[in-house]
Amino acid sequence: MADFYSAHIDNLKNHTQEIDNLANKPGLQSSQGSIKVSMDKPASGNSVQAGLFPLRWLYRVSAFLTHYGVETHGIAPIPKEERLDTRWYQMFFIWFSANMNILSFSTGTVGPAFFSLGVRDSIIVIIVIDVVFCLVPAFFAVFGPKLGTRAMVQSRFSWGYYGAIIPSALCVFSEQGFLILNCIIGGQTMASVSSHLDETLGIVIISVISFVSLAWIPNVIVFIVMLALGYPHLHTNQSVSVPVPKPSSVLSFGSMLAASTLSWCTIASDYGVYHSPKIPSSRIFLYTYLGLCIASLTLHTMGAAFAAAAPSVPAWNAGFQDSTSVGGLVHSILTPVGGFGKLLTVLVALGIPSACAPCMYTFSTSFMAIAGWFALVPRWVYILISEGVLIPTAIIGARTFYTTFVDILSVIGYWSAAFAAIVLIEHVLFRRASFTEDVYPIATWNSARLLPTGIPAVLAFFCACGTLVPFMSQAWYVGSVARNGSGDCGTYVGFVVAALTYAVFRGAETWYMKRRGINKERGEEEGIEERGS
C-alpha cells in the first residue's frame, strides 16, 4: 500500500519522491488526516521500490494532464474542506445529460421490438418502473456530497475491505458493458448516414471520441424534431389493435427497465464528491431524481412509441432493419428533412459520449478499488485499457444487437439490485440514515481491520444470486420458474432476497460482536491510533 493513493494529492509532481519514500512508511495517513490507519507492510521494501519504478513516467504524464485541468484524483475520499462546490443544480444536469441520449431511446424500443408489447402496454410499464426505480439511484447520489466517497469505496462500510472487491470487479465489467452498448448504437447511427461508412468504422469513431462529453442540448433538439416529424404516424398507430400482452413479457420488460435504472446505484455518488455537504439531502435527492426520471421517462416512452409504429411505416421499418438497427430507425425518421436530417442523425451519434463519459470514469475508479496495488496506477491508464477491449467487443456484439442489449442489461441488473439492497439496509437500519463521522468513520476507508468484516454482505449477495437463478430468462439460460411463464423476475427477486438476508446476517453479526466485546476493542484501538497520530 502507499501513502499517495490514500491521501488527496495536491500536486502530482511530488509522486516520484513519494514512491522513493514508500518503503519507509509503516502506515498510511487518511485523506482526512484525523486517524493514522495502520496497514500491513509489503514483504520487502526494496522489491516494492523496484516494482514501482516503472510507474514514475506514468505520474509524469499525470502531472502533465493535471496542468491542463484534467482531474486525476484517485479513489481516496475527498476531505470536507475540499468539497466546496455549491452549484448543486449540476446534479440535475449530470443525470439528465447521461440519460438524454439514444441509449435511453433504445431501451424503450425493447418493449415492442423484443418483447412484442403494444405501445400502450409498453408505456404503462415504463411509467411505473421509471417513477419508482429512479428513487433508488437518487438516494445513492446523496452519499457523494455527504461523505466525499465514490460508490465502491463507500460500499466498504457494508461489504468490508475484502468483500467490496466483489462489487468493484462487477462494476468494472458492468461499465464496460454499457460502453459496448453505447458504441454499438452510436456506430449504427453513424453508419445509417452514409453508405461509405459501415457500423464497424462508426463504432471505432464513437469509441475514440468517448473521451469527450458533449452537451445534452443537441440531443433535446433532435428528439423534438423527431416527435414533430413522426407525430402523424405515432397518432395513427394508437388505434392499431395488438394481442393481449403475456405477463411474462410485461415482467421481463419491466425487469430490463429496472436493471437499466438500478445500475446507476453503483456509480451515483461518484459525481458529487466535490460538492459541498452543506446542502440538505432532500435537495440532492430531488435534483438527481428529476434529472434521471425526466430524461429516462421521456426517451423510454419515445423509443417504445417509434418502435411500435415502425412496422406500419415502410420507410421506418426499412431503416429499423426488422428491429435490428436503432440508429437506422432514427435516421429514417429524420430523412424527410434531407441534409438537415443527416446532420441531426450525426448529432445524435456524437451525443453518445455524454453517456460514455460517466461509464469510463467509474470503470477506472472501480478498477482502482479492487485492490491497493491497482490504485497505484493512474486512472487514465485504465481508460486506455477500456478502449482496447471496447472496440473489438462492440464490433462483435453489434451482429446480434437486441440479444446483446437485453443480456448485458439484465445481468447488470441482477447484481446491481442485490448491491443496492445491501447498501440501503446497512445505511437505514444499521447506521440510522446518518452521515456523521461517528457513524461513517471515513478515515478508516482503507483499513481491513477497522472496516466491517463484510461477511453478512457477501453471504446475502450469494443467497440473492442463488435464489434469482430459477427466475432468470436469458438467451443463454432460462430458469425453471421463468419457463413456467413468469418471465425474467431475477432483478426483483435479487433485491428482495438480498435485503432480507442482509438484515438477518448483519443483525446476527452485530449481536455476536456486542456479546464478545469486539466493537469495544476496535473502538479502543481506533482511539489509541487517533491519539498517536
Side-chain angles (χ1 to χ4, degrees):
M1 301 299 174
D3 251 347
F4 56 83
Y5 77 81
S6 63
H8 181 66
I9 302 170
D10 295 322
N11 188 346
L12 281 171
K13 293 181 180 179
N14 293 328
H15 272 309
T16 302
Q17 183 62 40
E18 291 175 352
I19 294 172
D20 290 337
N21 295 333
L22 175 64
N24 298 322
K25 296 291 185 180
L28 79 155
Q29 183 71 25
S30 79
S31 63
Q32 294 192 352
S34 59
I35 300 176
K36 189 172 184 178
V37 182
S38 299
M39 297 294 290
D40 294 332
K41 289 179 63 176
S44 170
N46 293 332
S47 63
V48 172
Q49 285 183 311
L52 292 176
F53 181 79
L55 295 175
R56 294 186 179 184
W57 72 272
L58 294 179
Y59 288 111
R60 292 192 182 99
V61 175
S62 296
F64 174 80
L65 295 175
T66 303
H67 180 71
Y68 286 94
V70 177
E71 197 259 337
T72 55
H73 194 282
I75 60 171
I78 307 300
K80 184 178 292 186
E81 58 270 17
E82 295 182 25
R83 283 177 265 150
L84 303 176
D85 197 333
T86 57
R87 296 171 295 175
W88 297 299
Y89 62 86
Q90 289 180 334
M91 304 296 287
F92 170 85
F93 289 107
I94 287 172
W95 298 108
F96 184 81
S97 178
N99 288 273
M100 181 54 65
N101 53 61
I102 196 173
L103 179 63
S104 296
F105 179 88
S106 302
T107 304
T109 67
V110 173
F114 192 79
F115 294 110
S116 302
L117 297 176
V119 62
R120 292 184 181 179
D121 299 320
S122 297
I123 290 176
I124 291 173
V125 175
I126 287 168
I127 292 173
V128 172
I129 296 297
D130 283 351
V131 168
V132 174
F133 280 86
C134 282
L135 295 169
V136 185
F139 183 87
F140 274 70
V142 178
F143 287 109
K146 293 299 181 180
L147 300 179
T149 55
R150 290 163 177 82
M152 291 302 110
V153 172
Q154 192 277 332
S155 71
R156 293 179 178 180
F157 290 92
S158 50
W159 290 74
Y161 183 85
Y162 296 108
I165 293 174
I166 296 173
S168 296
L170 289 172
C171 193
V172 167
F173 288 105
S174 297
E175 298 314 308
Q176 191 68 17
F178 272 115
L179 285 168
I180 291 170
L181 293 179
N182 282 320
C183 290
I184 290 175
I185 297 169
Q188 290 178 343
T189 307
M190 293 283 286
S192 68
V193 176
S194 173
S195 59
H196 301 290
L197 181 66
D198 62 11
E199 65 182 26
T200 297
L201 182 56
I203 287 171
V204 174
I205 293 172
I206 295 299
S207 300
V208 172
I209 67 171
S210 290
F211 289 107
V212 184
S213 178
L214 301 181
W216 51 267
I217 296 177
N219 285 339
V220 173
I221 296 172
V222 172
F223 290 122
I224 290 175
V225 174
M226 286 175 60
L227 277 176
L229 294 173
Y231 176 75
H233 298 294
L234 298 180
H235 181 70
T236 302
N237 188 62
Q238 290 180 355
S239 59
V240 176
S241 61
V242 294
V244 177
K246 296 179 181 179
S248 59
S249 296
V250 172
L251 290 173
S252 295
F253 181 46
S255 180
M256 195 275 304
L257 289 171
S260 69
T261 302
L262 287 176
S263 63
W264 291 120
C265 294
T266 62
I267 71 175
S269 64
D270 293 15
Y271 306 100
V273 294
Y274 287 103
H275 285 78
S276 172
K278 295 179 181 179
I279 183 176
S281 299
S282 58
R283 285 183 63 186
I284 304 173
F285 172 86
L286 185 61
Y287 284 141
T288 305
Y289 179 77
L290 291 176
L292 282 167
C293 194
I294 292 174
S296 298
L297 193 58
T298 300
L299 291 193
H300 289 168
T301 302
M302 283 185 60
F306 279 106
S312 60
V313 183
W316 292 5
N317 199 41
F320 205 13
Q321 298 177 21
D322 294 325
S323 304
T324 61
S325 176
V326 176
L329 174 62
V330 171
H331 180 246
S332 64
I333 296 168
L334 296 170
T335 296
V337 289
F340 182 60
K342 289 187 176 183
L343 174 62
L344 293 179
T345 304
V346 172
L347 288 178
V348 168
L350 295 180
I352 284 290
S354 66
C356 290
C359 294
M360 281 193 169
Y361 183 92
T362 299
F363 174 90
S364 60
T365 57
S366 297
F367 220 127
M368 296 172 75
I370 292 176
W373 295 112
F374 289 153
L376 299 177
V377 180
R379 205 171 66 219
W380 57 268
V381 175
Y382 294 114
I383 294 176
L384 294 179
I385 294 173
S386 173
E387 284 289 309
V389 175
L390 171 59
I391 295 175
T393 51
I395 292 172
I396 295 172
R399 297 172 185 173
T400 54
F401 171 67
Y402 271 111
T403 301
T404 304
F405 189 93
V406 174
D407 284 353
I408 289 178
L409 276 187
S410 297
V411 172
I412 290 173
Y414 296 149
W415 85 265
S416 297
F419 171 85
I422 290 169
V423 176
L424 277 175
I425 294 298
E426 172 69 25
H427 180 70
V428 175
L429 293 186
F430 298 99
R431 298 189 186 263
R432 304 182 301 278
S434 173
F435 295 99
T436 63
E437 179 65 25
D438 292 337
V439 175
Y440 282 100
I442 298 301
T444 66
W445 71 278
N446 212 28
S447 170
R449 288 187 297 109
L450 300 181
L451 286 167
T453 64
I455 295 174
V458 174
L459 291 176
F461 180 74
F462 283 114
C463 284
C465 290
T467 306
L468 67 81
V469 169
F471 296 87
M472 291 172 57
S473 179
Q474 300 298 318
W476 42 272
Y477 176 78
V478 179
S480 57
V481 177
R483 280 198 300 268
N484 291 326
S486 72
D488 190 350
C489 297
T491 300
Y492 314 127
V493 172
F495 185 90
V496 173
V497 172
L500 295 176
T501 53
Y502 182 73
V504 172
F505 292 146
R506 184 74 161 99
E509 181 193 53
T510 302
W511 173 82
Y512 175 78
M513 285 188 167
K514 285 183 178 178
R515 180 170 180 150
R516 297 293 298 271
I518 296 176
N519 282 346
K520 182 178 179 181
E521 292 174 5
R522 286 193 175 192
E524 291 174 351
E525 181 180 313
E526 182 178 313
I528 292 172
E529 291 186 356
E530 183 174 3
R531 288 192 296 272
S533 61

